[in-house]
Amino acid sequence: MKVTVRQLVFERLEADINSGLIYIAGKEIPFTQKEKDLLFYFLRHQDKPIPKEILAEVILGSDASWLEDFNIVFTMVRQVVKKLAAYGCEGYIQEVQNGFYTLGKS
């Protein structure tokens, strides 16, 4: 049986679909499962504006329908942005409109 490794890549950021691991410049970086979920979603939708409502579903699943404010989304995105920046990936995730985010360099 042959196993195909699938990777999602944006510049120095890599995600291994099979293992669920995140790498920056080839080094494995620790992310929480929710942070990984966000990163995988961003990597699958590079350069596309993603609304906060969709990101809420990525983070919370179907539980997101009850949200009236999106502080959990903003907080989680900020955490991922900070962690990426700490490993030299500044500006990878950006707010492109009020409540829309994208993975891509401007």
Side-chain angles (χ1 to χ4, degrees), residues 5-17:
V5 175
R6 287 199 45 214
Q7 291 186 332
L8 298 168
V9 178
F10 177 78
E11 294 189 10
R12 299 175 61 226
L13 178 63
E14 296 177 44
D16 184 312
I17 303 250

Side-chain angles (χ1 to χ4, degrees), residues 15-103:
D16 184 312
I17 303 250
N18 292 331
S19 68
L21 299 176
I22 305 288
Y23 300 89
I24 295 177
K27 179 182 177 189
E28 183 182 339
I29 307 300
F31 284 94
T32 68
Q33 187 57 52
K34 295 295 183 182
E35 291 169 340
K36 287 179 186 180
D37 293 345
L38 270 181
L39 281 171
F40 275 96
Y41 195 86
F42 277 117
L43 284 162
R44 285 187 184 103
H45 300 89
Q46 293 179 35
D47 296 316
K48 295 178 183 167
I50 304 167
K52 64 184 181 272
E53 294 83 3
I54 298 295
L55 295 177
E57 288 179 18
V58 171
I59 296 167
L60 299 171
S62 60
D63 292 341
S65 60
W66 59 267
L67 278 181
E68 290 183 19
D69 91 40
F70 290 87
N71 285 336
I72 190 165
V73 173
F74 304 138
T75 300
M76 185 69 66
V77 169
R78 263 194 312 269
Q79 282 177 226
V80 170
V81 167
K82 281 176 138 178
K83 197 172 280 189
L84 289 173
Y87 290 95
C89 297
E90 295 89 356
Y92 277 25
I93 296 174
Q94 301 172 22
E95 187 172 14
V96 291
Q97 297 175 352
N98 188 22
F100 283 77
Y101 294 88
T102 188
L103 173 69

